[in-house]
Amino acid sequence: MKISELLEKQKNLLSFEVFPPKTDSAYSSVETAVEEIATLKPDFMSVTYGAGGGTSDFTISIASGIQQHHAVPALAHLTCVSSTKAAIRNHIQKLQEAGIENILALRGDLPQDFDNSKADFHYADQLVTEIKKLGDFCIGGACYPDGHPESLHMAEDIDNLKRKVDAGCQFLTTQMFFDNNVLYNYMYKIREKGITVPIIAGVMPVTNAKQITRICKLSGTYLPARFKTIVDRFGENQAAMTQAGIAYATEQIIDLYANGIKAVHVYSMNKPEVARQIKENLSEIVGKI
């Protein structure tokens, strides 16, 4: 099923992100984790795509398995920054053959010392345009409530987002954020600019203090004082940090649904126990109007 159809039919959607292994030897353990998450029957699952397409075949096989063995719609990530048009077309053909209907179109992180001036793709909107030429896919894109780290200011970032939507993005998934007011303010700004496609809110349950320091350094995500206090207090105790991180994410998600956000995407980091606890915490909320 296409995610655009899910967004039209349901409220309080809950989905999970998983990532493929980097090596053949790790495939089995990752596949087991993915299958455990799929048994929770989320509304859909997304599968990431390694930088430079290094895990592209794994992305397809995992996404296909999610659909075929668990009847859960899959959203395959696709990055373009260091790929040729020929490689992208070949990958899209493989997605079609695997029965994948949903693609998250991303530029991807620039490799170190990469000369982007000679690339076939410079921005995600160019990838969206290419995908639309090659098949009847539901195409999603990424958006950044705190602003893209490479943008000079929020207005420039929103202008870039508008080009991506105008090219054919049917929904947008946000980068993680830890203050819901950041998202609400962001949505007001993008709606004011005529961006009306559905927004799926991306939430990460933080279970490791070092993880959040690294991620926020790369993405520029704002950390509210309340969240920092939790990490400072429980960050050295793995079990306590996991419990606190799941509780914080659950509160975020409940507030998002209560304020009219129709869909939440959980960055579950291939951790079935985290996905399961989130789903259980929302057992009387998910799927309800």
Side-chain angles (χ1 to χ4, degrees):
M1 177 179 284
K2 291 182 177 179
I3 291 170
S4 57
E5 296 171 1
L6 284 172
L7 290 166
E8 288 177 1
K9 292 179 180 179
Q10 295 177 227
K11 289 187 177 181
N12 298 359
L13 273 71
L14 183 69
S15 56
F16 296 110
E17 178 181 283
V18 296
F19 54 84
K22 294 181 179 179
T23 63
D24 289 343
S25 61
Y27 189 89
S28 179
S29 61
V30 169
E31 187 178 41
T32 298
V34 169
E35 288 183 353
E36 287 187 42
I37 295 172
T39 61
L40 300 173
K41 295 298 180 184
D43 292 293
F44 69 89
M45 290 173 66
S46 75
V47 186
T48 67
Y49 184 92
T55 65
S56 60
D57 288 339
F58 289 156
T59 297
I60 294 173
S61 62
I62 289 174
S64 178
I66 289 168
Q67 292 193 159
Q68 291 181 16
H69 304 310
H70 300 282
V72 173
L75 170 64
H77 290 213
L78 179 58
T79 63
C80 65
V81 66
S82 57
S83 296
T84 64
K85 282 191 176 182
I88 289 295
R89 289 168 181 167
N90 180 59
H91 188 78
I92 291 172
Q93 183 178 349
K94 289 181 179 179
L95 289 171
Q96 285 178 314
E97 291 169 354
I100 306 299
E101 297 181 289
N102 304 293
I103 299 177
L104 189 69
L106 305 163
R107 186 202 69 176
D109 296 329
L110 292 170
Q112 192 172 9
D113 300 323
F114 179 71
D115 184 1
N116 194 33
S117 66
K118 298 178 181 178
D120 285 349
F121 297 95
H122 302 283
Y123 303 106
D125 63 287
Q126 297 170 319
L127 177 59
V128 173
T129 300
E130 191 69 20
I131 295 169
K132 284 183 67 67
K133 293 177 185 175
L134 300 173
D136 182 25
F137 292 98
C138 174
I139 307 171
C143 62
Y144 301 82
D146 288 292
H148 193 284
E150 293 178 24
S151 292
L152 295 175
H153 44 70
M154 182 63 78
E156 178 188 68
D157 188 34
I158 293 175
D159 286 342
N160 293 335
L161 184 66
K162 183 68 163 60
R163 280 193 289 273
K164 190 157 50 177
V165 171
D166 289 346
C169 272
Q170 294 165 271
F171 66 92
L172 297 166
T173 302
T174 76
Q175 172 69 276
M176 74 189 77
F177 56 92
F178 297 96
D179 182 342
N180 286 1
N181 287 324
V182 170
L183 176 67
Y184 302 144
N185 291 336
Y186 178 72
M187 288 186 65
Y188 177 82
K189 292 174 183 176
I190 66 173
R191 297 307 191 211
E192 203 173 37
K193 290 292 186 179
I195 299 171
T196 59
V197 297
I199 304 297
I200 300 176
V203 171
M204 174 176 277
V206 175
T207 60
N208 184 304
K210 292 180 181 178
Q211 164 197 39
I212 194 59
T213 301
R214 182 176 65 254
I215 290 172
C216 290
K217 184 177 180 180
L218 292 172
S219 66
T221 302
Y222 165 69
L223 296 181
R226 176 170 171 263
F227 182 79
K228 288 181 180 178
T229 300
I230 290 171
V231 174
D232 289 344
R233 176 66 180 82
F234 302 112
E236 298 299 319
N237 183 326
Q238 181 62 63
M241 188 64 240
T242 296
Q243 189 173 59
I246 290 172
Y248 189 94
T250 300
E251 285 188 20
Q252 266 195 282
I253 295 168
I254 291 171
D255 181 78
L256 290 165
Y257 287 146
N259 282 280
I261 301 299
K262 291 182 63 174
V264 173
H265 192 55
V266 178
Y267 299 115
S268 49
M269 305 297 289
N270 289 12
K271 296 179 179 178
E273 66 281 4
V274 172
R276 185 178 300 107
Q277 189 61 61
I278 291 285
K279 185 76 183 287
E280 289 176 359
N281 289 349
L282 301 168
S283 60
E284 296 303 317
I285 295 174
V286 172
K288 311 295 183 189
I289 295 177

